[in-house]
Amino acid sequence: MEPGEELEDEDSPGGREDGFTAEHLAAEAMAADMDPWLVFDARTTPATELDAWLAKYPPSQVTRYGDPGSPNSEPGLQAAWEALQTSGRPITPGTLRQLAITHQVLSGKWLIHLAPGFKLDHAWAGIARAVVEGRLQVAKVSPRAKEGGRQVICVYTDDFTDRLGVLEADAAIRAAGIKCLLTYKPDVYTYLGIYRANRWHLCPTLYESRFQLGGSARGSRVLDRANNVELT
């Protein structure tokens, strides 16, 4: 948890998710941002070698290594953020959106939290194939921590303000066979160290996607968290 953050009431909405507290999810997301990537580079390796690579490097078995770094950032963004905090102006989703647009920090990611094991490895294999086949852009998965805990798959989009592009990425993730909860977070929140239960009471998750299995309504249900509006 970041210095100065307030603990979120575990009984409040968003305080727990599948038995995990906000602090757990924030720590997992931060680990994914900081860790070395498991990367299959289709630019230098034939796509026909993907299955062998996935078999050799299942994320549930690859241990985290090295010292964690810091999320990449842009100096102008950091300076503007510090100025905003000292200006006395309200810090809102709108001001952060404008900050991101001004400094062209527009990428964002769908986050998939899974425990180490078959489901994680199977999900990562589906995502990796979708990237190699051009149905998704960029993805990464955090290695397994020695102390255990869930791992995170991140699936990126170019522009968090492009709602259609974000929803298309959600559809491609679902087409890859992923049925668990997905949450979408702009990278500007990561770069500025804004995770859950932050002192500004900002929700860094713009969208939440749940998969409905039964009936005629089978499919993804994406919720706009800020406006509490269902988009699909």
Side-chain angles (χ1 to χ4, degrees):
M1 192 167 69
E2 294 298 300
E5 287 183 356
E6 300 173 3
L7 287 175
E8 188 170 326
D9 188 338
E10 291 182 353
D11 293 327
S12 66
R16 282 187 177 270
E17 190 170 279
D18 299 333
F20 287 80
T21 63
E23 300 88 71
H24 278 98
L25 294 177
E28 290 168 356
M30 184 180 290
D33 293 324
M34 292 181 175
D35 272 336
W37 295 20
L38 286 179
V39 175
F40 180 85
D41 192 342
R43 297 168 299 179
T44 58
T45 308
T48 53
E49 295 183 17
L50 175 63
D51 287 342
W53 183 85
L54 290 169
K56 186 175 182 180
Y57 301 108
S60 66
Q61 302 301 318
V62 177
T63 304
R64 187 174 297 167
Y65 63 93
D67 296 323
S70 298
N72 294 327
S73 190
E74 198 271 336
L77 173 68
Q78 289 293 340
W81 170 236
E82 291 170 9
L84 175 61
Q85 292 180 82
T86 58
S87 69
R89 292 171 55 204
I91 295 176
T92 67
T95 56
L96 288 179
R97 178 188 175 94
Q98 189 55 52
L99 206 62
I101 292 171
T102 299
H103 295 277
Q104 289 297 289
V105 181
L106 297 177
S107 58
K109 53 189 173 280
W110 282 108
L111 298 167
I112 308 167
H113 297 264
L114 291 168
F118 172 79
K119 286 186 177 180
L120 169 70
D121 295 340
H122 183 72
W124 173 240
I127 294 296
R129 290 191 182 95
V131 172
V132 169
E133 293 167 4
R135 291 181 281 120
L136 291 169
Q137 296 176 5
V138 177
K140 68 178 183 180
V141 61
S142 61
R144 182 171 185 165
K146 293 180 180 179
E147 63 273 16
R150 296 199 297 181
Q151 292 167 251
V152 188
I153 299 172
C154 302
V155 180
Y156 286 82
T157 70
D158 287 335
D159 186 351
F160 76 87
T161 69
D162 176 11
R163 179 179 287 179
L164 179 59
V166 171
L167 294 179
E168 287 175 346
D170 170 73
I173 292 169
R174 297 308 188 185
I178 312 301
K179 302 293 190 293
C180 62
L181 174 72
L182 311 178
T183 55
Y184 185 86
K185 179 181 179 182
D187 278 338
V188 66
Y189 285 82
T190 298
Y191 293 162
L192 299 179
I194 301 173
Y195 291 88
R196 289 177 131 192
N198 58 80
R199 60 195 175 102
W200 303 282
H201 303 290
L202 296 171
C203 178
T205 300
L206 288 193
Y207 305 112
E208 178 181 281
S209 172
R210 296 180 182 272
F211 193 84
Q212 185 169 317
L213 290 172
S216 59
R218 176 184 173 89
S220 202
R221 292 291 174 268
V222 179
L223 178 70
D224 178 337
R225 292 285 299 273
N227 300 303
N228 197 31
V229 173
E230 195 169 88
L231 303 178
T232 61

